[in-house]
Amino acid sequence: MTYICVKFNQEKMEILVCISKTPETTAKIAFTDGGKNFDTQGVQFIMNPYDEWYALVRAIELKEQLGGKVTVINVGDAASDIVIRKALAIGADEAVRVDVNPQSAIYTAKQIAEYVKSNSFDAVFLGKETIDYNGAEVGAMVSEYLDLPYFSFASNIETDGLKSRITRDVEGGVEISEVEGRFVLSAAKGLAEQRIPNMKGIMMAKRKPLNVIPAVGEDDSLEIISYDLPEGKSGVKMIDPENMDELVRLLHEESKVI
Amino acid sequence: MSVLVYAESPKGKFKKTSLEVVYYGHLAAKAMNTDCIALVLGSTSDAAVLGKYGASKVIHVTDDSLDNFDAQTHSTAITKVAENVGANLVVFGFTANGKALTGRVGVKMNASILSGVSSVPNLENGFVLRKSVFSGKANAHYNLKKENKVISLMGNSFQIEELGSSAEVETMTLDLPTAKTVVKELKTVEGTVPLPEAELVVSAGRGMKGPENWGIIEELARTLGATTACSRPVADTGWRPHHEHVGQTGVAIRPNLYIAAGISGAIQHLAGVNKSKVIVVINKDPEAPFFKAADYGICADLFDVVPRLNEALKKFKQNN
Ligand SMILES: Cc1cc2nc3c(=O)[nH]c(=O)nc-3n(C[C@H](O)[C@H](O)[C@H](O)COP(=O)(O)OP(=O)(O)OC[C@H]3O[C@@H](n4cnc5c(N)ncnc54)[C@H](O)[C@@H]3O)c2cc1C
């Protein structure tokens, strides 16, 4: 018996997912050369959680649902290969690394946009921000370079590959929009559930292609002059649990926040 | 040369962050020896009020289609106005829409772009701004090297002051592309201040034992006029809605007062709340790491302390 599978109004999706490498969340943050450089000594790096947990997993789910392909892109040096392999183990089909250590979001965005221009994708996904520089900038910049609609902080997307309905987190609620055709999306919590790579995925990842390409253009818009550590708290004042009037008095008179 | 600030007006009203951006624009313009011009897009009732917070002039692009948020159309409108007034610094709020626009306008203007800044530009050696990095664990000082600069301001970084009277409003119409994005619905809760903008926050964690016990937290928040928040495991298990999750992988907040009950103070939690001006920790474990990051600590059972604090606050509110 043969089955003929007819798909109505459903298109395969080729999605590019941008991933970056960030210090692990418990990493000790310190600087060398009198605050000039971030001290990477002993720091473990991971895939940026928003890229991994939400952007990548949702892209893989859409591929599983509609067919198509998931490509991951990283702008970084060879130290990124470990997080790229993890993305392949979770289920991406292939990977590209633009071989440069970017100093600014705009330079990163430029590399990604150039790659999209020469390779055509239906959508570009990335995490809403990185947990190191917390800029939430690259997505907006990529979409501008490509002149595409942009949905920041998406917590839900339903699509048939042609028409998409996207929920964005905004202050105090959500905004639901519709778009036809190609777009860029940044992923927030809720877009998908984290997936842990299994043994088969890890084995397969080793054989998936990882292309290394050179960077284009100059990275000349920003320069970090120095870093410093915020002033710590001067020490906790313990309050008698029986005396909440005292706490209220301190909040009013000493710290003046109520 | 001038400073252009974009004052967001969702549903026609200015948010606190919009006023902060105007006030910051005024401070930056003063440092740069120029004027601060505020920009309003779409329908708004009272654009002139921005003069009070430091705008020397307000430009109001009245096109109704701008009530529908579309990052492409909005960024085109803002860039056109920036060119029109010769702005070389454009300032946004570090808000949901600000984040969607800063990068776009920056690319259009071939600018140096920096998000989430918390200082007035220092012009001694270039154009230097500070921003918090590594989820609040450090600050970085950046020099913005391009002629044009597009930045966004971290909320609650400056205390707004009323400076002047209302400003002259110039209405403008622009030739704009049709939006590719159609907003179907904007669902926001009314009555409570959203977490990223909240000045007072009451937060609770796994020490609450279960979602049925949250009444005391909600009551305390009501007495204070505070917004409620929670730790990540509490949102992950569905005890509380996701939007309440604060921390490195949730919402980063910087209220004036953060009260944390039954939260241990894991490094990822602290990363999202360590910019709060005053932190009060209620925890029964004297070894809880959160005490090290707190200004005031109460080492006791939260089920006793929280209602007692609520009573004390009620008494205070009656007398003040
Ligand atoms: C990559 C990554 C990202 C993360 N991101 C975040 C994040 O963004 N936000 C976040 O919050 N967490 C985050 N976490 C989780 C974080 O590591 C902690 O597990 C979490 O913050 C703990 O939540 P909690 O304090 O509510 O629970 P617990 O650590 O279980 O603490 C409960 C506390 O309640 C106290 N307690 C219990 N009963 C009472 C009582 N009756 N009275 C008073 N005190 C009581 C206990 O002493 C304890 O200190 C992240 C973890 C990872 C690995």
Side-chain angles (χ1 to χ4, degrees):
Chain A
M1 193 159 64
T2 52
Y3 290 95
I4 302 170
C5 176
V6 187
K7 285 207 273 181
F8 291 101
N9 289 334
Q10 199 168 296
E11 271 300 311
K12 284 189 199 150
M13 272 190 102
E14 304 224 339
I15 304 176
L16 182 69
V17 181
C18 314
I19 60 171
S20 73
K21 165 177 119 324
T22 59
E24 185 263 323
T25 52
T26 58
K28 185 162 163 34
I29 304 301
F31 304 98
T32 57
D33 313 315
K36 283 218 70 93
N37 295 302
F38 173 51
D39 185 2
T40 53
Q41 269 281 311
V43 174
Q44 291 249 6
F45 286 89
I46 58 169
M47 196 185 329
N48 181 45
Y50 293 108
D51 303 343
E52 177 187 331
W53 301 348
Y54 311 124
L56 176 62
V57 175
R58 189 64 187 130
I60 294 168
E61 286 172 358
L62 290 174
K63 180 193 83 171
E64 288 166 352
Q65 179 196 330
L66 303 167
K69 190 170 77 179
V70 174
T71 305
V72 290
I73 186 167
N74 168 265
V75 182
D77 56 27
S80 291
D81 286 353
I82 179 161
V83 302
I84 296 173
R85 288 290 170 205
K86 183 170 187 195
L88 294 169
I90 292 171
D93 300 290
E94 54 183 57
V96 208
R97 178 165 62 76
V98 184
D99 194 17
V100 66
N101 206 346
Q103 302 302 311
S104 65
I106 195 162
Y107 190 63
T108 306
K110 175 95 187 148
Q111 308 308 316
I112 295 166
E114 288 300 317
Y115 185 75
V116 175
K117 281 182 190 162
S118 49
N119 290 275
S120 158
F121 289 92
D122 298 306
V124 179
F125 285 15
L126 35 60
K128 70 167 190 175
E129 66 182 51
T130 58
I131 61 166
D132 49 6
Y133 289 92
N134 314 101
E137 296 167 317
V138 175
M141 294 167 176
V142 169
S143 51
E144 183 57 36
Y145 278 125
L146 298 170
D147 196 23
L148 290 178
Y150 176 49
F151 301 92
S152 54
F153 291 49
S155 53
N156 190 55
I157 172 173
E158 296 305 330
T159 179
D160 56 17
L162 297 165
K163 203 168 177 186
S164 309
R165 189 178 173 89
I166 297 165
T167 305
R168 293 171 65 216
D169 289 349
V170 298
E171 286 77 15
V174 296
E175 183 180 87
I176 301 166
S177 309
E178 284 182 356
V179 66
E180 266 180 60
R182 304 166 70 212
F183 60 91
V184 178
L185 165 155
S186 86
K189 184 171 185 176
L191 193 71
E193 293 286 337
Q194 184 181 3
R195 283 192 190 181
I196 311 290
N198 57 26
M199 209 51 207
K200 184 166 160 243
I202 294 167
M203 295 310 291
M204 277 166 64
K206 294 188 179 139
R207 292 194 299 273
K208 290 178 178 172
L210 192 177
N211 302 317
V212 178
I213 60 173
V216 292
E218 294 293 319
D219 195 359
D220 58 359
S221 73
L222 286 179
E223 162 192 24
I224 293 185
I225 309 285
S226 63
Y227 293 96
D228 55 41
L229 297 173
E231 295 162 34
K233 295 277 181 190
S234 51
V236 58
K237 198 177 257 183
M238 296 306 288
I239 314 281
D240 175 5
E242 303 294 329
N243 192 356
M244 285 301 102
D245 291 331
E246 173 64 2
L247 176 63
V248 172
R249 188 189 68 77
L250 289 167
L251 291 176
H252 181 59
E253 289 174 12
E254 187 177 72
S255 52
K256 301 188 171 60
V257 287
I258 58 169
Chain B
M1 196 175 93
S2 66
V3 176
L4 182 71
V5 301
Y6 171 51
E8 279 179 54
S9 50
K11 298 182 178 168
K13 283 188 241 124
F14 295 115
K15 311 199 278 186
K16 179 176 158 248
T17 45
S18 317
L19 306 181
E20 280 174 7
V21 167
V22 175
Y23 180 67
Y24 174 84
H26 156 80
L27 296 179
K30 213 161 74 177
M32 294 161 68
N33 214 351
T34 178
D35 287 329
C36 166
I37 301 168
L39 169 62
V40 180
L41 300 179
S43 38
T44 313
S45 50
D46 185 16
V49 71
L50 298 177
K52 275 193 196 165
Y53 304 96
S56 60
K57 181 168 133 187
V58 179
I59 293 178
H60 186 184
V61 182
T62 45
D63 197 327
D64 288 347
S65 70
L66 290 165
D67 291 342
N68 174 74
F69 181 74
D70 173 66
Q72 272 173 306
T73 328
H74 278 65
S75 59
T76 305
I78 295 164
T79 309
K80 284 191 174 181
V81 174
E83 278 164 8
N84 212 306
V85 301
N88 56 348
L89 173 65
V90 180
V91 188
F92 292 90
F94 197 48
T95 59
N97 288 356
K99 286 168 188 170
L101 295 169
T102 308
R104 290 201 91 118
V105 172
V107 167
K108 283 186 200 288
M109 292 179 64
N110 187 25
S112 286
I113 305 166
L114 196 64
S115 290
V117 308
S118 59
S119 72
V120 173
N122 178 341
L123 308 179
E124 268 163 45
N125 283 307
F127 193 98
V128 178
L129 285 166
R130 181 186 66 217
K131 76 168 273 190
S132 151
V133 292
F134 297 108
S135 303
K137 293 178 210 164
N139 299 312
H141 302 263
Y142 285 88
N143 185 19
L144 282 68
K145 296 199 284 189
K146 297 261 169 127
E147 173 75 26
N148 289 332
K149 285 110 182 152
V150 176
I151 64 174
S152 64
L153 173 69
M154 182 60 94
N156 216 8
S157 298
F158 291 88
Q159 202 65 42
I160 335 174
E161 282 170 39
E162 289 200 16
L163 298 157
S165 50
S166 54
E168 168 211 344
V169 180
E170 177 187 333
T171 51
M172 205 183 259
T173 45
L174 295 172
D175 194 15
L176 295 171
T178 4
K180 288 191 208 153
T181 310
V182 183
V183 175
K184 292 286 173 187
E185 240 179 301
L186 177 59
K187 289 194 273 193
T188 49
V189 285
E190 303 293 331
T192 52
V193 188
L195 265 180
E197 293 164 18
E199 290 184 354
L200 305 168
V201 175
V202 176
S203 185
R206 261 203 317 222
M208 293 298 291
K209 310 277 188 284
E212 67 282 3
N213 296 329
W214 243 265
I216 53 170
I217 297 298
E218 283 168 349
E219 255 171 64
L220 179 61
R222 211 171 301 130
T223 307
L224 265 171
T227 305
T228 48
C230 69
S231 67
R232 178 172 156 213
V234 161
D236 282 354
T237 49
W239 291 5
R240 298 296 292 175
H242 278 318
H243 66 79
E244 281 197 1
H245 160 194
V246 291
Q248 190 162 14
T249 51
V251 184
I253 56 171
R254 46 164 62 207
N256 293 338
L257 174 62
Y258 183 68
I259 301 181
I263 300 178
S264 57
I267 192 160
Q268 298 94 351
H269 184 85
L270 295 180
V273 305
N274 57 11
K275 293 280 166 192
S276 310
K277 292 206 177 81
V278 174
I279 296 179
V280 175
V281 168
I282 304 167
N283 198 303
K284 68 176 180 189
D285 173 10
E287 301 297 319
F290 217 152
F291 284 124
K292 291 204 181 69
D295 298 276
Y296 303 112
I298 302 131
C299 187
D301 190 326
L302 71 91
F303 293 102
D304 296 331
V305 171
V306 172
R308 221 180 280 147
L309 175 57
N310 188 31
E311 288 311 311
L313 277 165
K314 273 191 185 156
K315 207 164 67 189
F316 167 79
K317 292 256 160 174
Q318 268 162 17
N319 301 331
N320 284 271

